[in-house]
Amino acid sequence: MHSAFRAIGIVRCTLLAHLLTQFFLYKAWTSDRLFPTLSVFSFTKKLQEETPLILYSIGILLTLVLLWKPLWKLGLGLWIGIIVLSWGWDFVFWQPYTYFFLSIVVIQFFSKTSEQFWIRCLLLLAALYLFSGLHKINGAFLNTVWDPYFLKKLFGITSSDFFFLIFHYAGLLVGLIEILLGVGLLFQRTRLWAFRGLVIMHLLIILGLSPIGLFSNEVVVPWNLTLLFINAQGCLSPKMRYFANPWQLELKKQIFFVLCFWILPIFGIFGYYNRYFSFDVYSGKGTSIFIVFEKPNDCPNPLIPFLYQRKIENKNRWVVSPMRWCKRELHLVLPNDNYILHSFVEAYQEQYPNSKGQWYLTTYPFTAQESDWIKMGYQLQNEYIENLQKKR
């Protein structure tokens, strides 16, 4: 089958995944949500409350049209514009899968030939897996993702079990495997095996996200299905002749994509670029923030459903986790870049000006030395969060 037809199939699959994802995220676009809007630009606060829902509806309709006519350049350009507008509206829409969907559509929009499309897809895929793996080689991933979700929830293995440390440090293989598969995509001799390995990996992820597995973040299922589909195309490359051939980078033609997918993400490793745009996916890194109340009655009534007890510094405390709140209400994982957490604190204190309690910020390894208490109502500056990083 012609490679151009296969490229259109990938674009359609991406648009369909975006559409399914948006159905999960409907509540995030409505004005009756409890989670505050984390405005990127101050002028958006002056717009009508219905603006996000109007933007959402236009995006849904445009996606449906593009599923029918994926080569419509004007439509692709408008779709790209709507995604960028949503990012300018609220930080919660800065999600890794949205960035991936946008990247595929941008690649299609700027590619004049199917060969350019495949080369840029390789640049995107290799960077995604390489940087995602690099970000997982750390203790935070083991303690916040690997141990509680995979060892304990999926396999029932806890720290009291014999040989626990072996299983604990085996989690580092997850990042290492991603790195090897990402590098493998860059070379003709290893590319087919890398694609096969990625197909197996995404099948396992989808199985883990199913009801018989973790099912902790069902909104990412369409993204994983898309990646499974694209990598399956790579497995067909010996017959289709597009991913199997040697490829010329032609830096002048690819400089924009090399910059976005390879150069800027390097700065993300050191905290100077957005985590999700650096392909830092579920690494467990970053600062965790909690709203801590002395007693349950101190919590604002609308947030009672999100209130729970958590042990902090060897004491059970009543807390609201913004991350858990965002995920339960909006089906979104709150990005924990420092400036986004700062935006949340400002928005929360504006929405609940009489709220009691304290802010508790902590970072891996989550001891008192890497944590800080801040009184409610005080201006939370980025320096507070950055100082926690320096304590390590």
Side-chain angles (χ1 to χ4, degrees):
M1 195 174 295
H2 197 271
S3 62
F5 184 81
R6 292 278 178 171
I8 294 173
I10 287 178
V11 175
R12 277 200 171 108
C13 183
T14 300
L15 291 167
L16 179 60
H18 171 76
L19 183 67
L20 295 174
T21 301
Q22 290 304 301
F23 290 149
F24 278 107
L25 307 182
Y26 170 78
K27 182 67 178 294
W29 295 88
T30 61
S31 59
D32 64 340
R33 74 185 212 187
L34 292 174
F35 196 88
T37 299
L38 309 186
S39 302
V40 182
F41 302 106
S42 58
F43 74 87
T44 59
K45 298 179 181 180
K46 301 177 182 179
L47 299 177
Q48 295 293 327
E49 290 184 352
E50 296 78 12
T51 303
L53 190 57
I54 293 173
L55 195 65
Y56 173 83
S57 302
I58 294 173
I60 293 292
L61 291 173
L62 187 56
T63 304
L64 289 171
V65 173
L66 287 172
L67 283 170
W68 174 47
K69 296 180 65 176
L71 297 180
W72 180 32
K73 286 286 186 178
L74 177 60
L76 291 173
L78 291 172
W79 188 91
I80 293 169
I82 288 175
I83 296 297
V84 174
L85 283 174
S86 72
W87 285 353
W89 181 270
D90 194 335
F91 277 122
V92 297
F93 294 124
W94 293 27
Q95 299 294 321
Y97 41 83
T98 306
Y99 181 60
F100 180 83
F101 299 153
L102 176 71
S103 298
I104 292 292
V105 174
V106 168
I107 287 172
Q108 171 66 17
F109 183 82
F110 287 104
S111 296
K112 296 180 180 179
T113 65
S114 58
E115 181 183 14
Q116 284 185 343
F117 179 86
W118 296 118
I119 289 174
R120 291 163 180 175
C121 277
L122 268 179
L123 285 172
L124 172 61
L125 290 173
L128 167 63
Y129 295 114
L130 173 61
F131 285 108
S132 177
L134 285 173
H135 283 289
K136 289 184 177 69
I137 307 294
N138 67 85
F141 169 74
L142 297 179
N143 283 274
T144 62
V145 179
W146 177 255
D147 288 354
Y149 288 100
F150 289 89
L151 293 188
K152 184 177 180 180
K153 191 171 183 179
L154 195 60
F155 299 109
I157 300 173
T158 64
S159 57
S160 60
D161 291 321
F162 195 57
F163 291 138
F164 168 75
L165 287 179
I166 295 177
F167 294 111
H168 172 75
Y169 287 108
L172 295 175
L173 293 175
V174 174
L176 181 60
I177 290 171
E178 280 195 279
I179 293 171
L180 293 175
L181 293 175
V183 172
L185 291 177
L186 298 175
F187 302 97
Q188 184 188 11
R189 291 185 178 182
T190 57
R191 193 170 298 145
L192 178 59
W193 289 104
F195 275 125
R196 288 173 175 172
L198 289 166
V199 166
I200 294 172
M201 185 183 82
H202 284 290
L203 284 173
L204 291 174
I205 291 174
I206 292 169
L207 184 63
L209 291 170
S210 70
I212 66 172
L214 303 176
F215 209 76
S216 62
N217 194 13
E218 62 271 17
V219 73
V220 300
V221 172
W223 181 29
N224 278 277
L225 288 172
T226 302
L227 287 168
L228 176 63
F229 178 79
I230 295 174
N231 287 305
Q233 300 300 307
C235 291
L236 299 174
S237 58
K239 297 180 180 179
M240 301 304 172
R241 308 299 299 170
Y242 43 78
F243 270 138
N245 295 335
W247 52 290
Q248 301 295 325
L249 185 58
E250 296 181 300
L251 190 59
K252 290 183 179 180
K253 294 183 179 180
Q254 318 299 345
I255 187 64
F256 173 75
F257 298 98
V258 171
L259 174 67
C260 292
F261 302 154
W262 286 89
I263 297 177
L264 290 177
I266 293 175
F267 293 94
I269 296 176
F270 306 101
Y272 295 109
Y273 189 56
N274 181 271
R275 285 186 56 211
Y276 288 160
F277 301 165
S278 303
F279 307 110
D280 179 358
V281 185
Y282 307 112
S283 68
K285 295 195 298 183
T287 301
S288 295
I289 187 169
F290 299 92
I291 310 169
V292 183
F293 301 99
E294 186 175 341
K295 50 185 181 295
N297 291 338
D298 291 341
C299 178
N301 287 333
L303 305 188
I304 293 295
F306 307 102
L307 185 68
Y308 67 102
Q309 281 195 305
R310 177 188 179 92
K311 182 167 286 189
I312 295 178
E313 297 184 4
N314 298 318
K315 182 179 178 181
N316 285 329
R317 304 176 191 269
W318 291 100
V319 304
V320 170
S321 165
M323 280 71 170
R324 181 180 291 196
W325 174 10
C326 189
K327 188 176 177 182
R328 281 184 57 189
E329 184 186 10
L330 306 183
H331 296 285
L332 289 164
V333 176
L334 177 65
N336 63 349
D337 291 88
N338 293 348
Y339 55 92
I340 296 178
L341 294 182
H342 179 228
S343 176
F344 171 80
V345 169
E346 287 190 331
Y348 175 85
Q349 294 183 161
E350 182 179 342
Q351 186 165 321
Y352 301 101
N354 299 318
S355 178
K356 301 178 182 179
Q358 297 183 78
W359 296 104
Y360 180 74
L361 292 88
T362 184
T363 187
Y364 178 79
F366 313 114
T367 62
Q369 288 72 29
E370 289 79 27
S371 306
D372 202 1
W373 293 90
I374 301 170
K375 188 175 180 180
M376 188 69 66
Y378 277 53
Q379 189 72 9
L380 176 65
Q381 301 296 338
N382 287 333
E383 288 77 10
Y384 280 110
I385 301 175
E386 291 167 0
N387 287 337
L388 295 181
Q389 310 290 340
K390 295 175 183 178
K391 287 182 180 181
R392 285 187 289 182

